[in-house]
Amino acid sequence: MRLDVLQLLLDGLLALARVEAGTAPLADEDVSAAVRGRCAAWEPVFTAAQLRLTADVQHGLRTRALPDAVGRVLDALLDNAAEFVPPGSRVDVHAGRREGELLVLVGDDGPGFPPEQLPLLLRRFGRAPLHQNTPGSGLGLAIADEIAHGSGGSLTVRAAAPHGLRFELRLPAAQPNTER
């Protein structure tokens, strides 16, 4: 195994251990700004991969979560999309309020996965059979799931219609910030 792959694996395991240990205090986070910022940062990667990235973000979304929770979860989801969604596809990010909580959706119109393989995506070292030999640690989405839970929320994945994937990050809503 190459040294850079081992380093990625170790970094991922350390991040996962910190989240599971609950050693990081919760902090206020501007979800609207985090989603806009991460989507802007990933735009060149998506353009190079011949993918279309769109963002629809409500103003004033705030949560109390692990530090940079939304940004770190989005990085994992967008990295996954950039790697596995085929060129010419579309990835849409939406952030808003629903039923007293914040909802950040990341959906794509790629080929998706068979329903029985979806639970593998959020497991440590989980790989769908088609991607067993893909480089990486297999920890990114598992760490994102732990960050969501450590922040009092959840991360789920399901099939999108007619094809593709849809990830849903749910976090508790904090009072909206009325300052601009």
Side-chain angles (χ1 to χ4, degrees):
M1 207 180 276
R2 293 186 358 217
L3 185 57
D4 57 337
V5 173
L6 285 174
Q7 187 61 50
L8 282 173
L9 181 61
L10 288 174
D11 291 346
L13 289 171
L14 286 171
L16 190 57
R18 284 188 202 108
V19 170
E20 286 182 336
T23 56
L26 300 182
D28 290 329
E29 183 171 5
D30 182 337
V31 175
S32 300
V35 173
R36 281 189 205 97
R38 282 316 207 278
C39 287
W42 279 94
E43 181 63 37
V45 174
F46 277 72
T47 299
Q50 300 176 5
L51 297 168
R52 183 164 177 228
L53 177 63
T54 67
D56 175 30
V57 183
Q58 287 182 3
H59 296 285
L61 302 176
R62 299 193 71 75
T63 191
R64 189 158 177 77
L66 291 172
D68 195 27
V70 173
R72 294 189 299 163
V73 170
L74 264 179
D75 282 343
L77 297 177
L78 294 175
D79 180 60
N80 199 62
E83 185 170 352
F84 294 109
V85 175
S89 299
R90 179 181 170 134
V91 177
D92 299 310
V93 179
H94 300 277
R97 283 186 190 80
R98 187 181 295 165
E99 300 172 8
E101 64 185 356
L102 302 184
L103 182 61
V104 179
L105 304 172
V106 178
D108 67 66
D109 64 355
F113 282 88
E116 67 275 5
Q117 292 180 11
L118 291 176
L120 294 173
L121 297 177
L122 298 178
R123 284 195 200 144
R124 293 177 200 178
F125 310 108
R127 296 280 181 157
L130 181 63
H131 301 293
Q132 288 297 317
N133 295 320
T134 302
S137 66
L139 289 173
L141 295 177
I143 292 170
D145 186 44
E146 289 293 331
I147 290 169
H149 283 96
S151 297
S154 64
L155 180 65
T156 57
V157 60
R158 62 180 151 155
H163 51 80
L165 291 178
R166 180 178 166 126
F167 288 89
E168 298 181 0
L169 170 63
R170 295 177 181 274
L171 292 168
Q175 295 299 321
N177 185 2
T178 56
E179 298 177 21
R180 290 214 175 190

